Amino acid sequence: MKKIVLLVALTLISCQPQPEKENKTPNFGIVIHGGAGTILRKNMTPEMEAQYRETLALAIQTGHAILKAGGSSQEAVEKTIHVMEDSPLFNAGKGAVLTADETIELDASFMNGATLDAGAIAGVQTIKHPISAAIAVMEDSPHVMLSGKGAEAFAASQGLELVSPEYFYTERRINALKRVKEKEQQTAFTPQEWEDFKNQKFGTVGCVALDQAGNLAAGTSTGGMTNKRWNRIGDAPIIGAGTYANNASCAISATGWGEFFIRSVVAHDIAALMEYKNLSIQEAARIVIHEKVAKLGGDGGIVGIDKQGNIAMEMNTAGMYRAHMDAQGNLTVKIYKDE
Ligand code: ASP
């Protein structure tokens, strides 16, 4: 009798629908940029191009490894941007462009898409990793944006690494400042001269990421604009303009002529088009960069990622240093618009 009961019980259990085996591959992804502009093959040596591609790959692999191990999008964005801030190739951290007074003024911002917390710093001269200072403002102060000496004092109080301003200087940027100052005396430009001139002034780094928990984050770090005066601040540290992240839509980091990106509220506008009009990230980015920013006369680009891991790398310039890595580890590194 006992045997029959057992048999019936076993049969009943085996007839119950079994929960499906968890076999889903985790979804995550990361996208970076290292600045947009008139980046043309004819102006690039093979050595320079290789250096850019290698550093972009190194940076994105750093963040990808964090995401793959289950780390947060916030950590991935911060550590990826450190690699680019430490490289003299990009206009952020070491290698930042010089102001008219031959000083350095760094801007950065970060936003967490899960909590909508954000932090930013502007016009700092001694913080080695401005992106970490932006994150510290978000996490350890009651504010969103700090600037100048106060931001540096705050960073020191947080134990962040400070360096002397000379650390950031590179020969390339000293020469660029000289050239830009000479050019600014010029009253008329051919279209080609104007493009070359603009190209020497800009650059920025940025990173957006989606982690395995489904959370988005975005960060941007820059030296701003060569020959800037009067403590000019661009879009990079302005939440909604240069940086925005919201789990309801996407994470965006921008690069380009900051004044136009502030006026177009680029990063938030892309997110708003997705949230309110249900557009895809590619379509929203296309409208904002090619219709809205371009209509005002501005140029530049963005990188973005949404909750599903769909990405956008959109620009209205000849090039943008950029890279993408998906959950499977497929790596794409691009410089020119037409590749
Ligand atoms: N958007 C930055 C600024 O205007 C520069 C850049 O991204 O190239 O400060």
Side-chain angles (χ1 to χ4, degrees), residues 202-204 222 224-225 232 234-235 255-258:
F202 296 108
T204 282
T222 190
M225 191 177 185
R232 177 262 187 193
D235 60 316
T255 173
W257 195 334

Side-chain angles (χ1 to χ4, degrees), residues 91-93 96-98 104-107 203-204 221-226 228:
N91 174 17
V97 300
L98 300 183
I104 300 280
E105 291 175 1
L106 307 167
D107 305 330
T204 282
S221 179
T222 190
M225 191 177 185
T226 306
K228 62 186 179 181

Side-chain angles (χ1 to χ4, degrees), residues 23 41 46 87 106 125 136 148 152 166 226 273 301 311:
N23 195 20
R41 286 184 179 83
S87 163
L106 307 167
Q125 302 192 322
E152 287 172 357
E166 290 73 49
T226 306
L273 283 171
I311 66 149

